Amino acid sequence: MQNERVAVVTGGNKGIGYGIVQGLCEKFNGRVYLTCRDEKRGNDSVNQLRQMGFNPLFHQLDINDEKSVQRFRDHIKTVEGGIDVLVNNAGIAFMSNSPDLKGIEAEATIVTNFFGTPLDI
C-alpha cells in the first residue's frame, strides 16, 4: 500500500478527461490513474503522456459494467488503500442522425452519464 495521494480520472483517454489527467500529472503531488473502457485506447493515452515526461497509471474501468467497477475498486483498495481525488468524467454522446435510435440513445446516455458514476469505489 502506498502513502502517496491518489487521483483517479474516469474516461481519461481523450478529450476533457485526457486534459484533466495531463493537468493532474503536472500539478498533483501523488499518483494519477487514467481509466477508460478500452484497454488499448487507455494504454495508448498513457504512453502518449509518458512520452511527454508524465507517469500516469492505467486501469480499465467501464462505469456501466458492475464487474469492471468492482475490479477497479478492489485494485484501488488493495494497492492504494483508497482514493483522494475522483474526477467522474466518463460519459457518452451519440453523433447519429437516425431518428429511429433516439430513444435507445437517450436511455444509454442517461444510464451512463447520470447513473454510471462509480460511487462505491
Side-chain angles (χ1 to χ4, degrees), residues 29-103:
N29 185 20
R31 296 158 61 84
V32 179
Y33 277 83
L34 181 156
T35 70
C36 71
R37 292 180 293 183
D38 185 282
E39 286 193 48
K40 180 180 180 339
R41 289 180 183 173
N43 282 316
D44 288 349
S45 296
V46 163
N47 288 333
Q48 288 174 357
L49 289 163
R50 287 184 178 158
Q51 289 175 0
M52 291 184 238
F54 303 121
N55 193 29
L57 302 165
F58 173 72
H59 200 286
Q60 189 278 337
L61 175 61
D62 180 343
I63 64 171
N64 287 331
D65 179 347
E66 188 64 30
K67 289 182 181 180
S68 175
V69 172
Q70 289 171 354
R71 278 191 302 273
F72 182 64
R73 178 202 60 206
D74 294 347
H75 170 81
I76 286 295
K77 284 182 177 180
T78 301
V79 174
E80 304 293 353
I83 296 172
D84 298 290
V85 176
L86 174 61
V87 180
N88 280 319
N89 173 74
I92 59 171
F94 286 95
M95 302 300 179
S96 171
N97 292 327
S98 171
D100 297 332
L101 299 176
K102 294 302 179 201

Side-chain angles (χ1 to χ4, degrees), residues 11-29:
N13 64 301
K14 62 183 178 178
I16 293 169
Y18 182 86
I20 293 169
V21 171
Q22 183 176 352
L24 285 168
C25 286
E26 290 172 350
K27 301 193 187 276
F28 181 71
N29 185 20

